[in-house]
Amino acid sequence: MLLVAGLATLAGRAAAQVEDHNYSPAAIQTGLRIYSNQCQLCHGPNGDGVAGVNLARQRFKRAHTDDDIRATISNGVSTAGMPSFRFQPEQLDGLVALIRSGFDTSGAPITLGNPARGRAIYEGKGGCPACHMPKGEGPFNAPSLAEVGSTLQPTAIQRYLLEPTKAMLPLDRPAVILMRDGRTLRGRRVNEDTDSVQLRDQGQTLRSIAKADIKSYELGKTSAMPSIAGKLTPAELADLMAYLLSLKG
Amino acid sequence: MRLAVLRRVFALAAAVLAGAFAVLPAAAQPVARPVTGTRIEKAAGEPANWLTYGGGYDSKRFSTLSQITPANVKNLQSQWVLQDNVVGVWEANPLVVDGVMYVTQRPNDVVALDAKTGRVFWIYHYVASPDAKVCCGANNRGVAILGDTLYMGTLDAHLVALDAKTGQLLWNTAVADVKAAYSITHAPLVVKDKVVVGVGGGEFGIRGFVAAYDAKTGKEAWRFNTIPGPGEPGHETWADDAWEHGGASAWMTGSYDPELNLLYWGIGNPGPDWNPAQRPGDNLYSDCVVAIDPDTGKLKWHYQFTPNDGYDYDSVQVPVLADIPWNGKPTKVMLWANRNGVFYVIDRVTGKFLLGQPFVKVNWMSGFDANGRPIQTPQPEGAATYPGNQGGTNWFPPSYSPRTGLFYFSVWENYATIYRREESKYEEGKTFLGGGFSVLSPAPGSPTPGIGRKSPINTWTNETGSGATVAVDPHTGKRVWTFPQFDVTEAGLLTTASNLVFTGGREGFVYALDAKTGKELWKAQLGGQINMAPVTYSVDGKQYVAVIAGRTLVSFALRD
């Protein structure tokens, strides 16, 4: 049983890799209209309203392919309390487009080039390995991109490349913490509550810091990542995008 | 209709039942005393018990128990834990009657347990219809008691009566049609010989009502439609046939003033939620507090907080009844921190507006006219409205301490929503929302807070809104102190005569604060979100504070 289930999952993943990520702005808008009326109450405005599921970030409990998503919507998940929905094919396409766009309703067109050429740009002209570690090697200054192709949507990746500061999520703001004992800690925030901050420091050590021990705590509003806007030709950007999307862990 | 079934979970249940009242401290707590109407009216006089949802008809959630003090609160220690298989947020409010606690768990179980040890006497398990639909979780917030009978509303909009000693079903009445997405999630309120409940379903195009049932038989005594029908006053505040599916649910418990013989109930948002243009007019009695004659169900007065609401600003908050000096005269008022971000004082005899003061950033209105009607300032399309759709506060019960004269509640700060409005077509049992919304965030696609916490990692951060517990002076509506929290909070409040405030939040901390200053005096980390108001009671002379966090109900008392 387990083996069979495992094979089915692998098959699903393989199929997912052939999705073309080309969803029209019109389809995304159609999806948004249906989503906000029928789905948002449970799944939330950003698709993360159900525990263990994040539609915008492609974290599903059972779906892998676009057809899996269509089937889940059409059949429902009775054990989880999700009803079945009767939608027209173009409505289902719209919901898939909304989900696959990462809920990016701007529907910015993405062009994908050649991943092999993209890798050369990544390592050469792009200068990305100076901070990122695509395969678990290299410096730790920036998030690993080992799974970026499955965790972020093309529009989100492109936004990071072109406007890194605007794309930076609040949790990812670089933290500079001056401790009462005189130490300065720098790193990326991992979690935070009223009393404490959890930090991955520049040496990749996971630290938990009591706010009572903090003298000052600053969160940078500017991403340390330089924008590649104007530095790459459109064709080079398309190649780089294709390479990044191929990184699926 | 599906049959309710009784499930005994412990093999020893029968033996426990037989021996329960002997095992309990019978000498100190006469357990066989039925909970009469007089006892409920004078609930403040027996602080060992917690007899109604709000701890008494005035819903102050103020206890005169004072064994736990600011000086010794640091010695609180967990006495017992009830761990439960609840999936999802546990919003229940326990009742405590002479040493026995009654608490509900999702969707519609009632658990009777020893309030001293946490040992369970019996569990009643109700199977709701699979057609039951709720917008925001299969919640149940508790039971009501009268005599030896418990009353619970169900997810499929039934009202059931149970024998408090055995958990046996006594009667089961259908309150509304589950197929049209009616539901009941709040604790009923017993007034004299009647059990009063309202209905949920405001996101599904219901027509709301509050109704009273004969406590003995379950027969409907009266029904107050929260949307007036043709020919009734207020009907003219709805255009065309919008009234038929205009929402105005009643999904929280009301309060009662026995002296005035008035029942007060908070009414939910109009529907479709986000498209007020589809239902022009004030949309009475959505977003109102209504004062009802509990014997007849007739309306005495109403005050509307948000006319023609386009923001989902349910006014279902629990009405808190207090007698305070107003302009030098002792005055019977109602204190109300509304989801719309404004704190109100209302004369509860006449319904007259006395004060309205925003307690968080508010931009949907700019002030009040001479009659206490808000001057609305709708934001341009695409612009953010403060407070956001979950509100500056929401259903989580507040508290008023006559000792400090302050009103305490949980707020969401710096939280805003951008609305998208469009026509919705009503279909029975389907959501009827009139558009959609997104929470204002600093980066596109950022995680943002919604209903209940979904992850142990706070990926949304305080930049999309943060929580706080606040104390407000009813005479000014201004904050006296603020206790800030990083994540938003859905915890209710409890105050005691020893000037303690108990609350919690989504991060799993339960707090004891100094009621005068807001200073943190004690906290414990319980590991799960707190979406209810702690309650206090005593057994054998020992004061307990019970709180639900995540899937656990914990009862604290001072270390021996």
Side-chain angles (χ1 to χ4, degrees):
Chain A
M1 274 300 281
L2 275 175
L3 185 64
V4 172
L7 286 173
T9 305
L10 284 175
R13 284 220 176 118
Q17 287 176 8
V18 303
E19 309 295 347
D20 64 3
H21 297 300
N22 287 322
Y23 303 103
S24 73
I28 295 170
Q29 287 300 331
T30 300
L32 178 65
R33 273 196 301 280
I34 299 161
Y35 183 86
S36 57
N37 279 322
Q38 302 286 336
C39 319
Q40 180 166 310
L41 269 174
C42 294
H43 281 284
N46 301 309
D48 58 353
V50 171
V53 177
N54 189 326
L55 299 177
R57 289 179 185 247
Q58 320 297 304
R59 250 176 248 137
F60 310 110
K61 285 186 178 157
R62 39 184 71 70
H64 296 289
T65 67
D66 289 2
D67 279 343
D68 291 344
I69 297 174
R70 290 187 184 93
T72 303
I73 297 167
S74 302
N75 301 332
V77 185
S78 56
T79 50
M82 173 168 163
S84 57
F85 294 88
R86 276 191 209 158
F87 290 126
Q88 299 301 313
E90 62 274 18
Q91 294 177 308
L92 281 172
D93 290 347
L95 286 169
V96 168
L98 176 74
I99 291 167
R100 291 302 194 193
S101 75
F103 283 44
D104 187 334
T105 51
S106 67
I110 305 287
T111 313
L112 300 184
N114 177 310
R117 285 201 307 264
R119 178 171 186 168
I121 293 161
Y122 180 93
E123 289 168 352
K125 192 175 175 184
C128 313
C131 302
H132 293 284
M133 35 170 247
K135 298 291 179 195
E137 297 161 3
F140 296 106
N141 300 341
S144 164
L145 301 178
E147 297 180 356
V148 70
S150 53
T151 56
L152 282 186
Q153 280 310 295
T155 46
I157 296 175
Q158 186 154 301
R159 198 188 299 119
Y160 267 104
L161 289 169
L162 297 172
E163 300 179 284
T165 289
K166 207 175 158 194
M168 185 169 59
L169 299 181
L171 186 68
D172 290 334
R173 297 198 190 288
V176 180
I177 300 178
L178 186 59
M179 303 294 290
R180 289 193 189 281
D181 64 10
R183 284 178 304 153
T184 301
L185 301 174
R186 290 168 196 275
R188 292 174 50 236
R189 203 160 39 146
V190 181
N191 202 349
E192 181 167 349
D193 73 8
T194 303
D195 291 352
S196 65
V197 190
Q198 286 67 41
L199 201 72
R200 182 189 297 274
D201 76 9
Q202 287 178 315
Q204 290 295 286
T205 301
L206 295 174
R207 292 181 184 277
S208 186
I209 301 151
K211 286 185 176 171
D213 296 335
I214 293 175
K215 193 172 165 192
S216 71
Y217 174 19
E218 274 181 42
L219 292 169
K221 299 272 179 183
T222 309
S223 172
M225 174 164 157
S227 167
I228 56 98
K231 292 176 191 160
L232 299 183
T233 66
E236 288 169 332
L237 176 60
D239 289 341
L240 181 57
M241 284 294 300
Y243 172 61
L244 291 171
L245 282 169
S246 74
L247 300 176
K248 289 174 187 287
Chain B
M1 185 193 307
R2 292 170 71 87
L3 286 179
V5 291
L6 178 70
R7 184 181 63 188
R8 299 227 168 104
V9 286
F10 295 112
L12 288 176
V16 171
L17 278 170
F21 302 104
V23 173
L24 277 173
Q29 304 277 347
V31 291
R33 275 194 315 149
V35 180
T36 59
T38 311
R39 275 186 76 185
I40 301 174
E41 268 187 41
K42 299 183 186 313
E46 47 175 297
N49 296 318
W50 196 274
L51 295 180
T52 73
Y53 181 76
Y57 278 139
D58 55 8
S59 304
K60 283 192 182 85
R61 290 183 181 268
F62 170 81
S63 171
T64 54
L65 292 180
S66 56
Q67 192 177 74
I68 303 167
T69 67
N72 66 19
V73 69
K74 63 178 185 296
N75 298 324
L76 279 183
Q77 188 180 47
S78 161
Q79 303 296 302
W80 54 261
V81 173
L82 176 72
Q83 215 158 47
D84 169 59
N85 295 319
V86 171
V87 176
V89 177
W90 195 3
E91 297 182 352
N93 184 96
L95 297 189
V96 180
V97 183
D98 301 326
V100 181
M101 177 180 284
Y102 302 98
V103 65
T104 58
Q105 55 189 26
R106 280 186 177 213
N108 283 124
D109 291 354
V110 182
V111 186
L113 61 158
D114 178 358
K116 198 173 162 179
T117 64
R119 292 294 151 214
V120 173
F121 294 129
W122 54 256
I123 297 183
Y124 166 80
H125 180 61
Y126 177 88
V127 181
S129 159
D131 293 328
K133 274 199 195 82
V134 280
C135 73
C136 312
N139 297 305
N140 186 279
R141 302 191 188 86
V143 294
I145 188 165
L146 179 67
D148 287 323
T149 307
L150 300 172
Y151 302 93
M152 173 175 64
T154 69
L155 208 61
D156 54 356
H158 282 234
L159 180 64
V160 296
L162 309 175
D163 184 323
K165 293 197 174 88
T166 64
Q168 296 277 8
L169 181 71
L170 300 176
W171 51 256
N172 174 350
T173 295
V175 171
D177 182 7
V178 66
K179 288 215 159 55
Y182 283 89
S183 58
I184 301 173
T185 54
H186 66 276
L189 187 71
V190 166
V191 175
K192 298 184 221 179
D193 58 351
K194 297 183 180 68
V195 188
V196 186
V197 286
V199 289
E203 277 62 54
F204 298 90
I206 62 156
R207 179 189 179 202
F209 61 88
V210 177
Y213 296 84
D214 183 288
K216 286 229 158 55
T217 64
K219 193 167 165 264
E220 182 176 308
W222 54 255
R223 180 177 291 212
F224 169 73
N225 285 310
T226 55
I227 300 180
E232 293 178 298
H235 184 69
E236 70 287 353
T237 64
W238 295 85
D240 304 323
D241 53 5
W243 65 278
E244 288 177 345
H245 302 294
S249 55
W251 52 273
M252 281 295 293
T253 308
S255 301
Y256 171 59
D257 186 325
E259 249 179 67
L260 298 171
N261 195 33
L262 282 180
L263 178 65
Y264 304 102
W265 218 276
I267 308 300
N269 61 281
D273 297 37
W274 298 303
N275 189 19
Q278 198 175 329
R279 42 176 170 75
D282 281 358
N283 306 146
L284 291 176
Y285 296 98
S286 72
D287 289 352
C288 284
V289 53
V290 293
I292 303 171
D293 180 328
D295 302 317
T296 64
K298 294 272 180 287
L299 181 75
K300 290 288 180 181
W301 58 256
H302 75 276
Y303 173 79
Q304 189 172 36
F305 299 97
T306 314
N308 194 232
D309 173 13
Y311 315 102
D312 195 11
Y313 289 154
D314 283 284
S315 295
V316 296
Q317 294 74 38
V318 182
V320 176
L321 315 184
D323 296 346
I324 62 172
W326 197 263
N327 292 334
K329 280 196 312 204
T331 307
K332 292 178 186 298
V333 301
M334 178 182 293
L335 307 175
W336 199 297
N338 197 281
R339 184 163 168 175
N340 70 15
V342 180
F343 169 78
Y344 297 83
V345 182
I346 291 160
D347 182 322
R348 74 172 185 270
V349 183
T350 62
K352 193 180 165 219
F353 166 91
L354 299 178
L355 179 125
Q357 175 71 40
F359 56 84
V360 288
K361 180 174 174 182
V362 162
N363 69 0
W364 66 271
M365 57 90 84
S366 60
F368 293 92
D369 71 12
N371 299 316
R373 183 186 171 86
I375 299 155
Q376 298 212 36
T377 50
Q379 299 302 300
E381 197 184 330
T385 299
Y386 288 83
N389 66 302
Q390 286 302 315
T393 188
N394 202 323
W395 61 272
F396 12 101
S399 178
Y400 172 77
S401 165
R403 289 290 293 263
T404 60
L406 300 178
F407 185 68
Y408 305 89
F409 56 101
S410 288
V411 304
W412 288 25
E413 315 250 40
N414 301 314
Y415 163 70
T417 290
I418 299 158
Y419 295 93
R420 196 168 45 73
R421 313 190 184 284
E422 63 185 38
E423 287 282 311
S424 275
K425 192 166 157 278
Y426 173 79
E427 284 178 74
E428 185 180 77
K430 296 274 173 68
T431 53
F432 186 55
L433 296 171
F437 68 89
S438 60
V439 174
L440 185 64
S441 67
S446 285
T448 55
I451 300 168
R453 184 164 172 164
K454 302 296 192 303
S455 165
I457 298 176
N458 185 333
T459 53
W460 45 99
T461 87
N462 58 342
E463 289 185 54
T464 52
S466 62
T469 307
V470 301
V472 159
D473 179 349
H475 292 98
T476 62
K478 300 272 174 64
R479 292 189 193 187
V480 175
W481 55 254
T482 298
F483 177 76
Q485 289 162 252
F486 187 77
D487 197 0
V488 293
T489 167
E490 282 153 316
L493 276 292
L494 164 70
T495 55
T496 72
S498 51
N499 283 341
L500 286 173
V501 172
F502 289 92
T503 188
R506 283 191 177 184
E507 296 170 346
F509 288 113
V510 53
Y511 295 104
L513 309 177
D514 184 312
K516 287 182 186 157
T517 65
K519 189 180 164 223
E520 180 186 305
L521 300 172
W522 169 82
K523 68 167 173 278
Q525 173 55 244
L526 300 179
Q529 55 189 323
I530 295 167
N531 293 52
M532 50 80 75
V535 300
T536 190
Y537 61 92
S538 78
V539 184
D540 286 351
K542 187 176 202 170
Q543 184 184 358
Y544 294 79
V545 174
V547 59
I548 293 173
R551 295 180 179 185
T552 55
L553 193 173
V554 187
S555 197
F556 291 93
L558 293 174
R559 200 172 284 136
D560 286 326

